[in-house]
Amino acid sequence: MKKISVMLTALLLAACTSQTMRATGDLGLVIERADGSALIVETTTHTQLARVTGLGDLSHASAVYSRDERYAYVFGRDGGLSKIDMLKGSIAGRVIQGGNSIGGAISQDGTLVAVSNYKPGGVKIFDAETLALVADIPAGSKTVGLVDAPGQKFVFGLYDSDEIWVVDMSVPASPAITKFTDIGHQPYDGLITPDGRYYIAGLFGEDGMAMLDMWNMDAGVTRILDGYGRGEKKLPVYKMPHLEGWAVADGLAFVPAVGLHEVLIVDLESWKQVGRIPVHGQPVFVMARPDGRHVWVNFAVPNNDTLQIIDVATRKLIKTLKPGKGVLHMEFTPRGEQVWTSVRDLDTLKVYDTATMKEVTSLPALKPSGIFFSARAHRIGL
Amino acid sequence: MKTPMARCSSPKRSNALPRAVAIALLIIMSAFPVAAEPSSDRQVELLYFLKHDCGSCHGLTRKGGLGSPLLPETMAGRSDDDLTAIILDGMPGTPMPPWRALFTEDEVRWMVRAIKQGTWRK
């Protein structure tokens, strides 16, 4: 009898343990920018698991994930780099590494986290485990569009000096920097294609973009889309477009036009503009559903109450949604059956079914902005 | 704009004005109202915009980002006219856009005072 009860206890314990075990693959982080907090959400059941506070000024915050998806690294505006434990819902480490920062990236092997700073302008690279400083790379300029690239590299733009730098961190103690100058005026953001081959910087100071082929860096930076939209009356740019999550689908890239109510279509073979799609406002995020069939677009103020969906096959707008004022960001579930959107002014996250384009559910969140799901851990450039 | 309004505000002078001129001035006045305070509802909207939308570039704590810091201490030495002009017409060559299409001059002047007084803080 005693034996049986011991066995039962053991079984119960095992059951309890398995109930409390959790993996991180369907978790995500939602930045609550006004409160300096972040929500940890679970995407399968649309639930909020925890709120992590004390993350500082999150007015332009973004996050990357450790390769085991256990930790998120949040880059705050005030120079704070916070390491969040996604399972415990708490801060596992935090350093104030700069005065004013704009984003970051994690290295190919997951051991290094790089942060892009406006003040003092440059990039700092930290040990992903301990957050100890590994390399300090002053740039004398605001640094923008920092991404990881294959070969343990980081790539970023220099807004004030019209450059692109590639930092090879293969030997962490001695970063090898390759500098490209005169790449075009005022690079304001950058992205790397999902295969890690092409780094593309958007230019604020002129029409066009700058492209670096990581397979052939000797060829230097090439100008693409030179003069797009030139000669047209441009609107004031109420919000800088973001290039993160650049929509690459069907051999085409869909990119936000700067100062125009248009999404531009670029052929990835010729790097020429092959079309333009008039949209509701100035695009901010132009993001492809993971399967590439649809592209979702949100807009700058005063048109930020709207989302529009472009069908890649026909290159036409197929749907306009009105989630509410202040649609700041969207994030697809890993295989794209749903998309989460931040509706800042409603203090709400709205979740849409991407096939029916209907709202599935909503969750409360305080002035939500960026949404970052853990599946980003395994994607180059995110 | 200031001159006709100043003249209009003086009853003696307006009495002395020919009727047609007085009517013309009234029309001008109604088209360009005197620097009025925005309504209280609008003030709430303007403060919200200051905090959350201006904050996207200037930081939610106003310490700067892509844009300059907007702290009262850094703004103290700038004239209201200059700051109003920057917000209305932008700063060419920088990402600061002209906001004239979204706000009236009176609203911008009110926002400038709010920035200087730090009243965008809750």
Side-chain angles (χ1 to χ4, degrees), chain A residues 33 57 77 100 159 186 238 345, chain B residues 48 52 56 60-61 64 93:
Chain A
R33 61 184 218 159
D57 183 344
R77 170 69 92 187
N100 193 329
Y159 177 83
Q186 291 174 327
Y238 291 127
D345 293 8
Chain B
Y48 188 89
H52 294 286
S56 294
L60 288 178
T61 51

Side-chain angles (χ1 to χ4, degrees), chain A residues 2 24 91 93 98 104 107 110 130 144 151 158 168 171 173 181 189 212 222 240 245 292 309 322 353:
Chain A
K2 202 177 174 188
T24 53
I91 297 177
S107 65
T130 64
V144 298
L158 281 66
D168 186 332
V171 184
T181 55
D189 196 7
L212 177 63
T222 321
M240 295 290 247
I309 303 160
K322 296 278 182 187
D353 179 311

Side-chain angles (χ1 to χ4, degrees), chain A residues 115-139:
Chain A
V115 192
S116 178
N117 287 314
Y118 280 173
K119 265 187 217 155
V123 167
K124 285 186 182 173
I125 301 175
F126 297 87
D127 182 305
E129 202 181 326
T130 64
L131 301 187
L133 185 68
V134 175
D136 184 2
I137 302 167

